[in-house]
Amino acid sequence: MRIMAILRKELRQLSRDRLTGGMIVGMPLLQLILFGYAINTDVRDLRTGVVDMSGTQLSRQVTADLAVSQVMDLVMQAETPEQLTAALRRGEISLGVFLPRDFDRRVIQRDRPAGQILVDGTDPTITSVANQLRQFPIRFDSQARPGGSAGPAASFEVRTYFNPERRSAVNVVPGLLGTILTMTMVMFTAVAIVREKERGNMELLITTPISRGELMVGKILPYILIGLVQVALILAVARWVFQVPFVGSLLDIYLAAMLFILANLTLGLMISTFVGTQFQAMQLAFFVFLPSILLSGFMFPFDGMPRLAQWIAEILPLTHFLRLVRGVMLRGAELSELGPDLLALAVFAAVTLTLAILRFSKRLD
Amino acid sequence: MTATAVIQARGLTRQFGQLTAVDRLDLDVPPGQIYGFLGPNGSGKSTTIRMLCGLLTPTRGDAQVLGFDVIREPEQVKRRIGYMTQRFSLYGDLNPVENLQFMAEVQALPGSERRRRVDQLLERFHLADLRTQRAGTMSGGQRQRLALAAATLHQPSLLFLDEPTSAVDPKSRRDFWEFLFQLTETGTTILVSTHYMDEAERCHRLAIIERGVKVADGPPADLAAGIPYAVVEVMTGQGADARSLLQSRREIASVTQLGLRFRVLVDRSVTQPVELVRQVLAGEGVSGEVSLSAASLEDVFVAVTQKEQAGS
Ligand SMILES: Nc1ncnc2c1ncn2[C@@H]1O[C@H](COP(=O)(O)OP(=O)(O)OP(=O)(O)O)[C@@H](O)[C@H]1O
Ligand SMILES: [Mg+2]
């Protein structure tokens, strides 16, 4: 079996290539740990500025309570809300607490939020922390409650600056699974073919009876295995280190991932037929990677994108994989309910593989 | 001979943009012989071999290899030939056994035969001691033996060897040629490119290529006998004077210095070439020993390339 010959040879070479071997394990781990900062909501000592316009005993009490909560580190006392937003913009503080002139009255009447917390929304971690602060209890020691006894507790209003869409931490893991696979898988097959061209191995290989299909499929199979290893690694870290809940079936997640891996590998093969050097292959892989990150719904919500961007996104495997894995992992959907996205990935893989085989030439010219 | 030719090319031409790398090449390679391709760098040896292997499409002309058309049936050709590329093209991170096993599988040798054949080749090409050494760390000569082993793995009846002995010491080269002659004894035809004269001398037949054009073709001895020049050897201490004097004569096609000796190609129209050279030198007071010599392949090479330049 020629396919098995290629498969065995690829795996053998990989096992000897320490750098690539290290990347296979190291890259997903590193990415996850780096992003884990975003996933980890247990954040402390955010630099905070305070504007207390009321200056009452109650407002000073609330400020002191916030300071001892360990979430905030009060680094700035401002005079006006404008100073607060300016400091926020300059990045000097991540949170701003605004207590209005009528703070006491608002706490008592509870008709409007008692105060505001201004949030630097560019950092999702901070956003999620601020959302928890919404529930920060405001004790009002003088017991007078003219407005009745059963009203809701006084609370803060949270204003997110710069990033009105608040992403939940859990959402990051499926997205990360998809982006890491895109980043590694496309590159693997693109480079695996081009490296042989560069090193001169291809000239010998295409002078043997091996068929184009055998060569292409033989190049894909080993990397499916490697992709699944990466998936297992990422899921394990997500589950045990970051406590991301898996609502749906693990088997479904793996099946979706396998199809997605295949689509990326065949895309890599197709890329390899357009380029002559590993450097070009990487550039082209990156050219695919960027729109995947931006348009797939990993960065920005899909529904908010312009129509054209959505059309482009529908071509990208990552878009469909994100829908699949979010559906299965977070909403507990069954794969059978997500047919269109499965079909899209399968068609993408079939088309790119066919193109790769047709475009690959057993000639040098 | 044409009827049984293993390789037959007619007007084979390959252009890269403006450059004509191979120009209207006619080739007839008889079976069971070593056919040499002699030519300097960039003369089109590799390009020709690639066209004959079905790897490059000729711009014009056609070629039959083992009875198959290289343009229309390249896969039939590839199935039946062995090809040793100019650059080492096995895997540097695999050892000889793994490389040969891989090639055996790709060549679809039956499973039972594979291991036996690999062992046999390792033995035959003196690679048995290097079984576990990665090809990338082997010496040039060892790599070259491994590449030849890989090319002969499936026992093809026709072998293309593209400068197999560049970067290999003379002893290893001699050993390598022993292998080649052993292969021809079993009926294998070998087309080998080289730019070493001593190797060209050992071929049954030889084509000399110069800038894409075949300028000579035949058994080395015939080529030497057939040049339109007499070879006169001059031994002198006054090298610079002798050279300029001789070069100024129209009857003298070329002067090549080898230490204290000069090899002078005198046109065959001169009936007394030795006398002519003596007179030319004595006339200006240059002393030296002058004698007639047999043409070597080196002289053939100089002669045919000389003719090319004169003609162009
Ligand atoms: N793929 C290509 N694209 C453009 N030009 C090429 C290509 N391949 C070869 N050439 C040119 O064709 C000419 C012949 O090259 P070729 O490799 O056949 O020479 P060669 O006789 O094998 O030389 P060497 O002894 O250096 O190996 C050279 O001028 C080379 O630059
Ligand atoms: Mg060459």
Side-chain angles (χ1 to χ4, degrees):
Chain A
M1 271 294 273
R2 297 203 182 95
I3 293 178
M4 294 309 288
I6 302 271
L7 168 76
R8 252 199 302 278
K9 188 218 78 180
E10 278 317 291
L11 286 177
R12 194 167 267 150
Q13 286 186 305
L14 268 172
S15 72
R16 295 191 183 163
D17 182 353
R18 284 228 194 93
L19 189 68
T20 309
M23 289 251 294
I24 290 169
V25 178
M27 193 131 106
L29 282 185
L30 189 73
Q31 298 275 340
L32 263 185
I33 302 297
L34 289 177
F35 275 84
Y37 170 65
I39 298 169
N40 190 349
T41 52
D42 185 19
V43 179
R44 300 167 150 234
D45 296 334
L46 293 173
R47 279 166 306 133
T48 307
V50 176
V51 178
D52 184 355
M53 304 286 281
S54 67
T56 61
Q57 197 202 337
L58 177 63
S59 68
R60 280 193 293 274
Q61 176 66 45
V62 168
T63 310
D65 284 352
L66 284 171
V68 297
S69 74
Q70 293 187 334
V71 174
M72 294 184 183
D73 180 11
L74 293 184
V75 294
M76 175 190 180
Q77 285 280 349
E79 299 296 320
T80 64
E82 286 73 28
Q83 288 177 350
L84 214 55
T85 44
L88 205 57
R89 196 167 48 240
R90 287 194 301 271
E92 289 167 9
I93 56 171
S94 307
L95 289 177
V97 176
F98 174 63
L99 305 180
R101 213 172 287 285
D102 55 349
F103 181 67
D104 283 21
R105 192 187 57 76
R106 287 179 179 226
V107 170
I108 295 163
Q109 294 191 348
R110 296 176 188 181
D111 52 346
R112 293 156 69 194
Q116 259 186 359
I117 293 179
L118 316 180
V119 182
D120 174 1
T122 55
D123 185 337
T125 331
I126 298 170
T127 319
S128 59
V129 170
N131 279 319
Q132 290 168 2
L133 282 174
R134 193 201 297 262
Q135 268 74 51
F136 192 82
I138 298 175
R139 288 196 312 279
F140 191 45
D141 291 333
S142 60
Q143 295 295 315
R145 281 187 175 182
S149 57
S155 65
F156 282 104
E157 176 194 43
V158 174
R159 272 264 173 97
T160 311
Y161 278 54
F162 314 133
N163 181 9
E165 180 244 352
R166 290 181 294 270
R167 257 185 308 150
S168 86
V170 169
N171 236 333
V172 174
V173 164
L176 217 51
L177 181 62
T179 27
I180 292 172
L181 287 175
T182 306
M183 199 149 52
T184 48
M185 293 296 116
V186 177
M187 200 93 90
F188 269 140
T189 36
V191 166
I193 294 272
V194 177
R195 187 181 46 216
E196 298 216 5
K197 283 190 205 167
E198 264 188 331
R199 293 188 184 165
N201 308 125
M202 198 52 92
E203 183 169 353
L204 181 61
L205 209 48
I206 60 176
T207 320
T208 69
I210 197 163
S211 76
R212 299 182 288 178
E214 285 169 333
L215 185 57
M216 292 289 151
V217 174
K219 285 280 183 187
I220 292 175
L221 292 180
Y223 295 102
I224 290 184
L225 285 179
I226 282 163
L228 288 176
V229 168
Q230 287 194 329
V231 172
L233 209 62
I234 295 169
L235 291 183
V237 173
R239 185 79 187 83
W240 305 118
V241 180
F242 297 116
Q243 273 90 40
V244 173
F246 297 171
V247 185
S249 130
L250 205 56
L251 180 67
D252 281 357
I253 297 178
Y254 274 103
L255 283 176
M258 193 148 115
L259 200 54
F260 176 61
I261 289 168
L262 182 68
N264 279 313
L265 292 176
T266 53
L267 175 63
L269 283 183
M270 196 181 78
I271 286 178
S272 76
T273 64
F274 286 94
V275 298
T277 65
Q278 292 187 59
F279 182 66
Q280 290 171 339
M282 287 189 206
Q283 278 185 313
L284 215 57
F286 193 71
F287 185 73
V288 173
F289 181 60
L290 214 56
S292 292
I293 293 251
L294 294 176
L295 304 181
S296 63
F298 173 68
M299 278 279 199
F300 310 114
F302 186 85
D303 295 328
M305 292 190 307
R307 188 60 58 82
L308 178 67
Q310 287 185 349
W311 284 340
I312 297 173
E314 290 291 348
I315 302 172
L316 299 167
L318 185 57
T319 310
H320 300 286
F321 179 65
L322 283 188
R323 287 185 200 149
L324 285 173
V325 78
R326 280 176 180 160
V328 174
M329 214 159 141
L330 307 178
R331 295 200 307 272
E334 310 251 321
L335 272 190
S336 53
E337 303 169 64
L338 301 166
D341 290 308
L342 287 175
L343 186 68
L345 285 183
V347 168
F348 184 91
V351 168
T352 44
L353 179 62
T354 309
L355 281 178
I357 292 176
L358 290 179
R359 279 193 49 85
F360 183 82
S361 165
K362 281 189 75 184
R363 286 181 176 273
L364 291 172
D365 46 12
Chain B
M1 189 170 69
T2 304
T4 59
V6 172
I7 301 173
Q8 189 177 67
R10 287 294 171 268
L12 203 60
T13 302
R14 172 71 203 206
Q15 290 177 321
F16 295 108
Q18 289 296 305
L19 177 88
T20 304
V22 176
D23 195 1
R24 284 163 289 170
L25 190 76
D26 294 337
L27 210 59
D28 291 283
V29 177
Q33 294 196 350
I34 301 181
Y35 193 95
F37 243 43
L38 181 67
N41 289 132
S43 54
K45 303 185 293 294
S46 298
T47 306
T48 306
I49 289 177
R50 285 175 176 148
M51 285 194 284
L52 295 176
C53 290
L55 287 176
L56 274 179
T57 314
T59 312
R60 274 184 301 282
D62 54 71
Q64 310 283 320
V65 172
L66 297 168
F68 295 96
D69 188 299
V70 295
I71 301 169
R72 281 182 287 110
E73 305 159 293
E75 293 307 310
Q76 294 296 337
V77 173
K78 288 174 188 176
R79 207 176 288 277
R80 289 168 174 81
I81 59 166
Y83 176 32
M84 185 169 158
T85 52
Q86 181 165 359
R87 183 175 159 201
F88 182 71
S89 54
L90 290 165
Y91 298 92
D93 43 6
L94 300 184
N95 65 38
V97 179
E98 292 160 348
N99 266 309
L100 292 178
Q101 281 279 0
F102 172 70
M103 288 307 286
E105 288 169 42
V106 169
Q107 293 286 4
L109 257 62
S112 54
E113 202 184 313
R114 251 179 255 152
R115 187 171 298 271
R116 197 181 50 75
R117 181 78 181 134
V118 168
D119 282 338
Q120 184 191 347
L121 286 170
L122 290 173
E123 213 48 61
R124 173 150 182 217
F125 290 101
H126 311 317
L127 293 165
D129 296 340
L130 304 168
R131 283 173 160 270
T132 55
Q133 189 177 347
R134 293 190 193 169
T137 63
M138 299 196 317
S139 79
Q142 293 164 345
R143 268 210 293 265
Q144 164 227 42
R145 294 205 300 274
L146 177 58
L148 183 64
T152 56
L153 194 72
H154 52 301
Q155 294 175 301
S157 60
L158 173 60
L159 270 181
F160 289 97
L161 310 177
D162 195 357
E163 289 186 39
T165 56
S166 51
V168 169
D169 69 60
K171 166 78 168 68
S172 303
R173 258 163 62 192
R174 285 173 57 88
D175 295 345
F176 188 83
W177 276 79
E178 287 307 312
F179 289 132
L180 298 193
F181 281 111
Q182 284 170 22
L183 283 167
T184 56
E185 275 154 28
T186 59
T188 310
T189 309
I190 299 175
L191 189 145
V192 56
S193 78
T194 181
H195 40 220
Y196 293 118
M197 295 297 165
D198 62 322
E199 284 189 354
E201 207 107 44
R202 308 179 75 154
C203 297
H204 294 102
R205 243 184 118 83
L206 190 63
I208 299 179
I209 322 244
E210 167 81 4
R211 279 178 290 170
V213 179
K214 187 174 81 174
V215 291
D217 187 0
D222 292 5
L223 293 181
I227 60 169
Y229 304 102
V231 181
V232 175
E233 204 164 272
V234 178
M235 196 82 147
T236 174
Q238 295 156 277
D241 295 338
R243 171 184 282 273
S244 57
L245 277 175
L246 291 169
Q247 275 175 341
S248 66
R249 296 295 297 232
R250 249 189 342 102
E251 305 92 322
I252 293 177
S254 117
V255 181
T256 310
Q257 186 163 12
L258 305 151
L260 289 179
R261 284 183 300 132
F262 284 90
R263 287 183 82 81
V264 183
L265 298 189
V266 184
D267 203 285
R268 280 243 189 265
S269 61
V270 178
T271 46
Q272 301 265 302
V274 176
E275 280 311 308
L276 173 84
V277 171
R278 275 208 187 105
Q279 280 165 17
V280 168
L281 294 179
E284 297 293 328
V286 175
S287 63
E289 286 172 38
V290 182
S291 59
L292 198 63
S293 173
S296 70
L297 208 50
E298 182 97 37
D299 299 319
V300 174
F301 192 75
V302 171
V304 291
T305 53
Q306 200 71 32
K307 203 170 62 189
E308 262 307 290
Q309 276 157 14
S312 64

